[in-house]
Amino acid sequence: MHSSGFSVYSMGNSTSRLYSALAKTLSTGAVSKHQEYLEQTDPDFLDPIDPKDLLEECQVVLQKRPARFQRDFVNLRTSFSRSHRPIRVMQWNILAQALGEGKDNFIQCPREALRWEERKCLILEEILAYQPDILCLQEVDHYFDTFQPLLSRLGYQCTFFPKPWSPCLDVECNNGPDGCALFFLKDRFTLVNSTNIRLTAMKLKTNQVAIAQILKCNETGKLFCTAVTHLKARNGWERFRSAQGADLLENLKKITQEAEVPLIVCGDFNAEPTEEVYKEFSNSSLNLNSAYKLLSADGLSEPPYTTWKIRPSGECRHTLDYIWYSQHALNVNAALSLLTEEQIGPNRLPSFTYPSDHLSLVCDFTFNEDPDRLL
C-alpha cells in the first residue's frame, strides 16, 4: 500500500496550505471553476513547494492504491572522468484525461482507475520520484489547472502548445485541448529562446505540434536545445508521419544551426523503429541517436515496448516513444529501465498502479568534454 505519511499532519500551516493548493487542482468541472482558479491572486498560491511535501500529499490521496513499482536506472557510463552534474530528461505521454475517459476504450482498465483526482496524483508521483531537470509531456489537457501551477511552484519554467483541433474537444466533459508541454528547472537553466512549431506535411499545416527551446546550462555555460513533439497516430498514416518528421528536422536544423547546438528530442512518434520517420531521425545530418537503444545487449535495438494496452480491437504492444540526442556532443550516463511484463500485469495499461498507456522514459545526460573526437 502507499504509505500514508502521518508526518503530513504535523507539519503545520505550510502543509495544510499545500493541501489546499492540491485540492484546488482536484476540482474538475465547469470552465468557470478554471477561470476562478486561473485568476487566483492568493499570494500563498505562488509559494515554492518542497517536492517531498507534494509527494506526501499525493501519497495521502493514493493510500488505497497499490504501491508504485520499482524501476531502476541502468548505468551506461563508459568513462568516469569528473563531469558536471548530469541533466535528467523525462519523456512521457501522460494520456489526456478526456481521451482516457471518453475515446480510448481501454477495455480492461476499470473506470475508477481513470478518475482524475487519483490519476493526477499518480502522474505527479512519477514525476516527483525521478525529479527531472527537463520534463517533456504529450497529451496534456490539464495544463492550466494542474501542471503549470504545481510545477511552477516546484521551480520549473512551463511552456504549453495545444493542438489546433484537439480530439479532446469532441469529448463531452473535456477540459480544453491537449497538447505538448515542456518544463525545465529555472535554477539549472536559462531560457535563450523558445519556438512553437505547428508541423506541416506536404506543405499543409497539420494538427500536430512541437516546442523547441534553446537553454543555457547555468553550471557549464553551454547551450543546448530541447524539443518535445507528438506525431500523428494510427496505421495508414506512415507517410504523413514521415512528412511531419522531415518538417520537424528542418525546423531543428535551423534552430540548432545545423547541430552547432547539441539537441535532445523527446516524443511520442507513434511510429515503430521500422517506420520511415524513425529512419529519418536515425540518418539525419543532426547525428542523432536514440538513447533507449543503449539499454539493449547490442546497443542497437529499441526496447520491445513503450506502450501496452488492450482495446476492443485487441492487444497493442508497441515501441513509439523516444529520446533522441546529439551523439557527438552528449553522453547518456544512465537510463531508467522499463516496467516488466509481470509488473504491467495481464490487464496492461493504464491501471490502478500506472496512470498512462505509455511508459515514461528517463535519461541522464552529460556534455561530451571532447566532442571533436567523435566527428
Side-chain angles (χ1 to χ4, degrees), residues 117-156:
E117 284 75 3
E118 290 168 45
R119 198 172 79 84
K120 177 184 79 174
C121 288
L122 279 178
I123 295 169
L124 290 168
E125 186 183 41
E126 179 99 342
I127 294 166
L128 290 162
Y130 304 119
Q131 296 200 23
D133 300 303
I134 296 167
L135 171 63
C136 294
L137 301 179
Q138 297 84 27
E139 292 203 21
V140 179
D141 65 345
H142 275 270
Y143 177 79
F144 295 105
D145 62 7
T146 302
F147 295 105
Q148 183 191 37
L150 288 173
L151 290 171
S152 62
R153 295 179 69 194
L154 289 166
Y156 290 90

Side-chain angles (χ1 to χ4, degrees), residues 23-24 30 34 57 71 117 122 151-152 174 210 226 232 245 247-248 275 285 291 304 325 335 347 356:
K24 278 172 191 155
H34 299 136
E57 293 303 344
R71 292 169 67 185
E117 284 75 3
L122 279 178
L151 290 171
S152 62
N174 71 73
T226 308
K232 174 79 182 126
D247 181 47
L248 179 56
E275 253 191 59
S285 62
Y325 68 101
N347 294 331
S356 177

Side-chain angles (χ1 to χ4, degrees), residues 62-77:
L62 296 169
Q63 55 193 324
K64 294 192 173 66
R65 296 260 181 140
R68 275 182 82 252
F69 286 118
Q70 176 68 27
R71 292 169 67 185
D72 296 316
F73 280 90
V74 179
N75 189 346
L76 299 165
R77 281 177 70 178

Side-chain angles (χ1 to χ4, degrees), residues 268-287:
D268 173 355
F269 279 65
N270 272 308
E272 291 270 12
T274 48
E275 253 191 59
E276 194 58 41
V277 67
Y278 182 93
K279 295 183 183 123
E280 286 169 355
F281 270 72
S282 291
N283 302 330
S284 151
S285 62
L286 292 171
N287 193 19

